[in-house]
Amino acid sequence: MVKISVLQHPSSSYLPERPGDPTPTHRNLDPLQHPFARARERIRALNAAKMERMFSKPFITALEGHSDAVEVLSRRPNSITDIASASWDGEVTLHNAGRRKHLAKITGAHQGKVSGLCWADENRILSCGVDRNIKMWNVSQEAPLDSSEPGPSQPKPLVVFPGKGTLHSIDHHSMDPIFATSSTLVQIWDETKSAPVMDITFSTSAESVTRVRFNPSEPSVLASIGSDRTFILYDIRTGKAERRIVMQMKNNDLSWSPTFPTNILLASEDHNLYTFDIRRLNTPTQIYKAHVSAVTSCDWSPTGTEFVSGGWDRTLRIWQEGRGTHPEVYHTKRMQRVLATAFTADARFVLSGSDDGNVRVWKADASEKLGVITARERSAIEYRNALKERWKMDFEIGKVQRSRHIPKPVYKAAQLKRTIEEAQRVKEERRRRHTRAGESKPKAERKKAVIAEQS
Amino acid sequence: MEVEGDMDRTWRISQDEIVNSIGVEAARGRKELALDGGPYRVKYTRNGRHIAIVGQKGHTATFDWKTGTMHSELQLRETCRDITFLQDHSHYAVAQKKYVFIYDRDGVELHSLKSHIEPTRLEFLPFHWLLASVGNTGYLKYQDTSTGKLVAEHRTKLGACVTMTQNVHNAVIHLGHQNGTVTLWTPNLPHPAVRLLAHLGPVFSVSVDQSTGGRYMATAGVDGTVKLWDCRSWGEPLRSWTPRGSHAILAWSQRGCLAVASGGAINVYSRPSIYTPYPAPSPPPLYMTHPQPMKPHASLTFCPFQDVLAIGHAAGVSCILVPGAGEPNFDSSEADPFEGSKARREREVKSLLDKVPSDMITLNPEFLGGLAPPTKLTEGMDPGMIPFARRPRLDRLHVQGKADTAEDRLSDGMAVDSSADRGVVSKHDREEREKRKMRGKGKSLKRYLRKQRKNVIDPRAVALREHLAKQRAEGERTRVTVHDTSKSEQPSALNRFHYRP
């Protein structure tokens, strides 16, 4: 007796039952059925990396309208698209980045440049300028335009607060109707009072304070940076400066983390950005090094996982929090020095205001596809991302992923900077070899940033 | 196929019995095509749905053997030696008298590859899109069928070659030569990756086992022997035997059945008995046999995903049933016998996108994604000259005395002879050093240099000094403890002479 069974594949179980049905698929996970699985996956990962570079076209549009450098950007609370910008010719403009048009335009808001801008609530803007005035504007759609004067109709400020000295920065409390301004003094104002209610300047400080920012989640904490290379923390409940650190070089901008209240980001003149934990101010938690010139502005993404910085080197960089190198680099031929940067509230777009008077809109993820994405496309994108992540250590794929085209002056400057740093390091090393043991210990880079801490 | 009685044998069962005892659908695999025009060569597509046959006199045909649909039939009127499908049944290549020609599904001649001269055997590497040919000139040529470039041509220097097969798992080409050697080729090496003297005469047939990932190879020679080789160690064949008749042809199925066509019969052997090493020159237990007297046999091919063995011989093509030879479960993302035209087009584009570069063919395809070779940054430089901060991490840890040396010590213990060598060398070194030390120690220049040297702080020296001090301290401690224990544990008659304060 013999048992014989021969393979047969009846078509009925392998073909669609009715026309239009999907073809049934069969899987055999035996590795022998998938020769070159790894090699093919690598090729797929390489293609995915190349596609990412191919499709990375981050620039979306330039919002025009200013005739001088844009120094301040401020996004409207509870809005994704609206952004207010102010320029050196004393003009304040409210843009709608989605429809690419101006919602409001206040020419001659200040004499000279507008140095600070913030939102009191969804409809009112506070601006300050070098003309020592703080002005509050109503920019809602139904705001009456003042047409009593000849010429183009101009909105009139709701309130004018006379300040003392050239004002550098303004920021509004996230809940209460108070705001802080900085000149050589740091002052707290009430919206309903025409004189400052508090002066919380650090006692021995005489230099100008360039930025003040309230902590968004712990709103009575205020931070400021000054031209005397200091970073100061204030508490408006006690009404005085709590802590101060002196750094190697002065900072140009600061930004509080939106998700982690103790984190603060400083954009420094020494080409670096620093994040600090305000509970331990003696060392920064991370140094972010890539700019080849002074960093002039920075802003956190609303997710708190990345942030954008703009620099004197005419580039915009997008950093991952905690990863101190290899940021995404954005640049265009016509963009001059970037003076202001901002993330939009949906964390998908980045705005930059630059010396050439334009506000530019960029994608936060350079190769992201805008518009409707089908489920199939989405799954393909996710698969490609997983492949890139898995194979990023491969030499060729990693190289494709890392390489960026940057303008020649920036490239050369980075090269020069590397050479200088290398020379310094070698010199230090040699000097150390010729000193008595233990007399000059190498100092960690993070320990060098802060010179003194005072309280 | 299984038998129940002790005295029953599977090889006693003839094709007629098999056909009568199975279903109609499965019995369709048994076919006899009586054709004129010389011994036939047969090839299947990767999904096993389509078959291409070519006779020596130039009769070429491709068809879907399941439905019996003929795609193309050509009378080429010249000597044709081999045929192969390219990526799927839409194109096929024929090795003709002078060159290789490529035809499309309908039999329209698309290309003549004039660089392939007098080809005898063709193989297509589907994941690299390479058409490999070897011919009477003894050149192995790789042509990229997606770009049309000749990727590599290797001069084998071993004369005309009529035996070629590929290992589907690493895309290595196996060639059998007239002097009895079998060589393994990759496009990126100008010489064979492996050269093996397999037979005492010309090699007539080579086949690689797919079911074990290309681990075993079978060769048949004109000297009348069939040998089984383990590709991991080439020393001796696992088994060799002498089948009836001399020119044996071999084929290995997806599930590891080895078919040997020689002397007017096809014998099929099944695993695992094929792989067990066996010193005596006898064949493994027979699984199936089928008489096929129409000699000469020109080709032997198993159909993928079917229990069908196609035999090309002088009088046409016969397909016989070999139960248990084919892989029952196909993966529709790799090769689907039931795919439609849209799926075929989709697969063609996908496989073009995933085309593996030809220079990545190696004996071990799993080398990708492995560990990187050690960096060459500090190689060849004097280690003393590299500043501490720029040395590799392990080096720095060694200097600091923080490196984990447990592994090193272990390997030292293992390698006995090497340590013995080192002992000799170190002794020699020490003598040499002492000799040098003795001479001219007090010279003024030396003294001056020594004084100069004092101020240079070498972190390595410092660390070494610390390490030595630590070692010394440890040795001291152990010595003290040993001394103490000896005192307490071994009371002897001499204890009374110890000084007690």
Side-chain angles (χ1 to χ4, degrees):
Chain A
M1 198 51 213
V2 61
K3 279 192 289 186
I4 301 172
S5 61
V6 175
L7 272 182
Q8 50 181 343
H9 300 295
S11 322
S12 56
S13 58
Y14 294 100
L15 293 175
E17 283 179 12
R18 287 179 298 272
D21 277 4
T23 315
T25 52
H26 303 269
R27 290 281 170 265
N28 185 352
L29 298 181
D30 181 5
L32 292 179
Q33 295 296 312
H34 304 270
F36 297 102
R38 212 185 260 185
R40 283 188 285 163
E41 189 180 85
R42 184 183 164 274
I43 292 297
R44 251 176 261 146
L46 183 61
N47 287 345
K50 284 180 180 170
M51 271 166 79
E52 185 200 321
R53 296 320 307 152
M54 236 156 59
F55 289 118
S56 73
K57 305 226 181 306
F59 180 65
I60 295 176
T61 185
L63 307 171
E64 294 170 4
H66 287 293
S67 54
D68 209 339
V70 178
E71 207 196 66
V72 226
L73 288 173
S74 178
R75 65 167 184 253
R76 189 181 207 158
N78 302 331
S79 164
I80 289 177
T81 52
D82 294 358
I83 187 108
S85 65
S87 66
W88 283 2
D89 57 354
E91 191 180 67
V92 175
T93 310
L94 177 60
H95 303 274
N96 185 317
R99 284 181 284 155
R100 302 176 192 184
K101 57 181 257 189
H102 298 154
L103 297 179
K105 193 165 187 178
I106 310 165
T107 47
H110 287 276
Q111 297 286 322
K113 79 169 186 177
V114 182
S115 53
L117 197 66
C118 70
W119 290 82
D121 57 32
E122 278 182 49
N123 291 323
R124 290 177 303 151
I125 293 182
L126 279 164
S127 67
C128 69
V130 293
D131 61 351
R132 306 178 178 194
N133 282 330
I134 303 155
K135 293 181 182 175
M136 183 185 279
W137 309 86
N138 187 354
V139 290
S140 62
Q141 287 299 327
E142 55 272 6
L145 293 172
D146 179 16
S147 51
S148 58
E149 290 171 20
S153 58
Q154 279 295 319
K156 234 168 62 175
L158 293 175
V159 195
V160 179
F161 304 91
K164 212 179 263 178
T166 308
L167 293 165
H168 295 295
S169 170
I170 187 168
D171 196 32
H172 196 274
H173 195 278
S174 62
M175 294 165 196
D176 301 340
I178 55 175
F179 59 90
T181 60
S182 72
S183 51
T184 50
L185 311 169
V186 179
Q187 290 169 320
I188 307 292
W189 302 68
D190 194 312
E191 281 181 20
T192 56
K193 297 191 173 69
S194 59
V197 293
M198 219 186 279
D199 182 352
I200 54 172
T201 318
F202 195 84
S203 51
T204 56
S205 167
E207 300 260 344
S208 60
V209 176
T210 49
R211 285 277 193 284
V212 280
R213 289 281 178 269
F214 278 108
N215 189 327
S217 35
E218 187 61 56
S220 52
V221 175
L222 185 70
S224 81
I225 48 174
S227 59
D228 52 351
R229 300 177 294 155
T230 55
F231 161 68
I232 310 174
L233 281 172
Y234 311 85
D235 193 334
I236 59 169
R237 291 168 297 195
T238 59
K240 60 176 186 181
E242 295 288 340
R243 217 143 246 251
R244 166 164 117 149
I245 55 171
V246 182
M247 297 181 66
Q248 284 283 358
M249 287 183 106
K250 85 174 185 118
N251 294 308
N252 288 324
D253 202 358
L254 83 163
S255 177
W256 287 97
S257 167
T259 53
F260 198 50
T262 59
N263 264 15
I264 194 160
L265 175 69
L266 301 178
S268 173
E269 192 81 8
D270 61 359
H271 312 185
N272 299 339
L273 290 113
Y274 300 91
T275 46
F276 276 95
D277 188 333
I278 55 166
R279 295 167 294 187
R280 282 171 50 92
L281 284 174
N282 54 347
T283 56
T285 51
Q286 180 76 47
I287 306 176
Y288 298 84
K289 288 185 169 181
H291 276 287
V292 293
S293 186
V295 190
T296 50
S297 61
C298 60
D299 190 32
W300 282 93
S301 152
T303 58
T305 55
E306 53 188 356
F307 56 85
V308 61
S309 69
W312 206 245
D313 54 4
R314 295 177 223 153
T315 61
L316 198 67
R317 314 229 176 195
I318 297 178
W319 306 77
Q320 300 301 314
E321 198 262 326
R323 185 170 171 236
T325 51
H326 295 292
E328 186 68 67
V329 181
Y330 294 165
H331 56 85
T332 62
K333 263 186 185 163
R334 297 181 182 189
M335 185 164 73
Q336 297 303 312
R337 293 171 286 224
V338 183
L339 300 175
T341 50
F343 251 99
T344 57
D346 57 354
R348 288 178 69 200
F349 301 99
V350 167
L351 294 130
S352 68
S354 48
D355 220 358
D356 56 318
N358 284 322
V359 175
R360 288 189 167 77
V361 185
W362 310 79
K363 287 188 264 183
D365 177 6
S367 58
E368 188 195 2
K369 189 197 168 193
L370 300 180
V372 181
I373 295 178
T374 59
R376 211 174 143 189
E377 203 172 350
R378 165 72 53 209
S379 69
I381 290 169
E382 277 164 9
Y383 178 58
R384 285 205 296 271
N385 288 341
L387 280 180
K388 276 181 278 180
E389 178 60 28
R390 184 172 188 184
W391 284 93
K392 68 182 174 194
M393 292 304 176
D394 187 275
F395 177 72
E396 206 176 339
I397 295 169
K399 202 171 159 191
V400 172
Q401 278 179 321
R402 282 191 303 271
S403 61
R404 296 283 181 278
H405 174 254
I406 49 175
K408 196 172 177 187
V410 177
Y411 181 76
K412 288 285 174 197
Q415 233 175 9
L416 182 65
K417 204 180 150 192
R418 261 201 306 280
T419 313
I420 292 170
E421 279 176 355
E422 174 71 10
Q424 279 171 348
R425 199 191 49 69
V426 168
K427 186 172 186 180
E428 178 95 344
E429 186 84 34
R430 289 204 186 118
R431 185 169 285 161
R432 193 168 305 126
R433 288 184 73 169
H434 291 268
T435 40
R436 205 172 288 280
E439 272 191 1
S440 76
K441 281 185 181 159
K443 200 171 181 186
E445 202 73 354
R446 284 199 298 171
K447 305 259 162 142
K448 289 181 194 162
V450 176
I451 295 177
E453 189 184 358
Q454 301 159 347
S455 58
Chain B
M1 197 156 55
E2 284 177 12
V3 289
E4 280 175 354
D6 279 345
M7 297 306 289
D8 287 335
R9 293 288 181 269
T10 51
W11 54 265
R12 292 217 177 97
I13 296 155
S14 69
Q15 284 296 308
D16 292 341
E17 282 171 84
I18 293 175
V19 167
N20 291 333
S21 62
I22 58 173
V24 183
E25 175 75 26
R28 262 189 222 164
R30 176 86 180 94
K31 278 196 175 76
E32 286 286 347
L33 302 177
L35 300 163
D36 295 337
Y40 273 83
R41 299 267 312 161
V42 184
K43 283 278 172 71
Y44 282 99
T45 51
R46 267 184 73 218
N47 59 13
R49 185 69 185 257
H50 306 275
I51 187 170
I53 58 172
V54 65
Q56 199 169 26
K57 299 266 169 58
H59 173 231
T60 308
T62 59
F63 50 94
D64 179 344
W65 67 268
K66 199 141 199 179
T67 59
T69 321
M70 177 78 78
H71 297 313
S72 67
E73 186 167 21
L74 300 172
Q75 296 289 349
L76 294 170
R77 294 167 192 276
E78 61 177 356
T79 308
C80 293
R81 303 193 191 89
D82 201 3
I83 191 166
T84 185
F85 280 113
L86 300 189
Q87 72 276 12
D88 51 31
H89 71 277
S90 61
H91 295 86
Y92 61 92
V94 184
Q96 295 185 18
K97 187 173 182 308
K98 282 177 84 176
Y99 309 125
V100 174
F101 289 79
I102 293 182
Y103 300 88
D104 75 350
R105 194 189 58 180
D106 305 321
V108 178
E109 181 188 317
L110 299 178
H111 305 286
S112 78
L113 309 179
K114 297 211 167 153
S115 50
H116 300 251
I117 298 156
E118 288 195 47
T120 53
R121 288 289 178 266
L122 296 174
E123 279 292 340
F124 184 70
L125 313 177
F127 300 107
H128 306 80
W129 289 67
L130 291 178
L131 179 68
S133 82
V134 72
N136 286 335
T137 51
Y139 273 85
L140 172 64
K141 303 201 178 191
Y142 289 88
Q143 186 121 23
D144 191 325
T145 55
S146 62
T147 60
K149 270 207 190 95
L150 193 68
V151 168
E153 50 180 328
H154 298 319
R155 192 175 144 221
T156 61
K157 300 187 223 173
L158 291 165
C161 176
V162 291
T163 310
M164 170 153 81
T165 190
Q166 66 162 311
N167 181 349
V168 294
H169 294 286
N170 58 9
V172 171
I173 294 285
H174 296 234
L175 296 181
H177 299 284
Q178 286 179 349
N179 64 353
T181 54
V182 172
T183 48
L184 272 60
W185 295 85
T186 59
N188 47 6
L189 281 182
H191 52 82
V194 174
R195 191 198 301 265
L196 168 76
L197 182 63
H199 289 278
L200 298 174
V203 179
F204 195 68
S205 178
V206 181
S207 180
V208 181
D209 184 14
Q210 305 175 32
S211 66
T212 50
R215 188 176 294 168
Y216 298 102
M217 181 179 83
T219 58
V222 179
D223 60 354
T225 55
V226 173
K227 290 183 183 175
L228 278 167
W229 303 87
D230 187 338
C231 295
R232 297 168 296 181
S233 62
W234 294 107
E236 281 290 306
L238 287 179
R239 188 192 272 272
S240 72
W241 70 92
T242 313
R244 195 172 297 160
S246 63
H247 293 69
I249 301 185
L250 308 169
W252 227 315
S253 87
Q254 278 179 321
R255 300 283 280 189
C257 291
L258 175 66
V260 180
S262 67
I266 318 295
N267 293 334
V268 183
Y269 307 97
S270 69
R271 61 180 197 178
S273 54
I274 314 177
Y275 308 137
T276 46
Y278 198 70
S282 68
L286 192 58
Y287 175 61
M288 233 191 73
T289 185
H290 175 69
Q292 182 57 265
M294 274 79 85
K295 287 203 285 182
H297 300 140
S299 85
L300 203 59
T301 319
F302 278 99
C303 178
F305 310 112
Q306 297 289 337
D307 287 341
V308 174
L309 171 64
I311 306 145
H313 48 76
V317 176
S318 343
C319 297
I320 63 167
L321 296 172
V322 182
E327 169 66 42
N329 304 311
F330 58 84
D331 192 309
S332 29
S333 68
E334 295 284 351
D336 188 351
F338 294 95
E339 71 184 353
S341 59
K342 259 187 186 168
R344 187 190 68 74
R345 287 202 295 260
E346 184 96 343
R347 185 199 310 286
E348 194 168 346
V349 172
K350 282 263 170 65
S351 77
L352 262 176
L353 285 174
D354 295 352
K355 188 178 89 164
V356 183
S358 61
D359 53 359
M360 300 229 305
I361 298 179
T362 54
L363 285 180
N364 174 23
E366 296 294 300
F367 79 98
L368 279 170
L371 286 177
T375 174
K376 287 176 183 158
L377 184 71
T378 55
E379 211 172 72
M381 286 172 75
D382 178 19
M385 288 312 292
I386 306 166
F388 177 75
R390 295 188 68 200
R391 287 194 206 165
R393 184 176 154 74
L394 198 62
D395 220 5
R396 277 182 289 160
L397 287 176
H398 269 300
V399 170
Q400 290 174 325
K402 288 179 185 166
D404 184 11
T405 51
E407 222 163 82
D408 292 351
R409 251 183 273 129
L410 200 68
S411 62
D412 283 358
M414 302 276 263
V416 176
D417 50 349
S418 72
S419 70
D421 269 2
R422 198 166 46 242
V424 171
V425 168
S426 68
K427 193 181 169 198
H428 180 254
D429 272 3
R430 206 185 315 129
E431 278 172 1
E432 184 76 23
R433 228 181 299 137
E434 257 156 33
K435 206 165 146 198
R436 248 188 281 140
K437 203 174 170 186
M438 293 300 287
R439 224 173 266 160
K441 196 188 173 193
K443 273 188 181 166
S444 58
L445 180 64
K446 282 274 168 70
R447 210 163 52 224
Y448 168 71
L449 281 177
R450 208 159 51 240
K451 270 187 179 167
Q452 287 289 310
R453 204 160 51 222
K454 204 181 260 175
N455 210 17
V456 179
I457 314 297
D458 187 4
R460 200 166 52 149
V462 171
L464 206 62
R465 223 170 283 143
E466 276 177 13
H467 188 65
L468 276 176
K470 208 198 287 175
Q471 238 175 10
R472 211 175 298 132
E474 206 160 280
E476 196 79 33
R477 212 179 308 130
T478 50
R479 203 156 353 110
V480 166
T481 51
V482 165
H483 192 67
D484 286 350
T485 52
S486 67
K487 205 161 58 180
S488 60
E489 281 173 7
Q490 299 169 334
S492 80
L494 297 174
N495 274 4
R496 70 175 66 175
F497 298 113
H498 275 296
Y499 169 72
R500 283 201 196 84

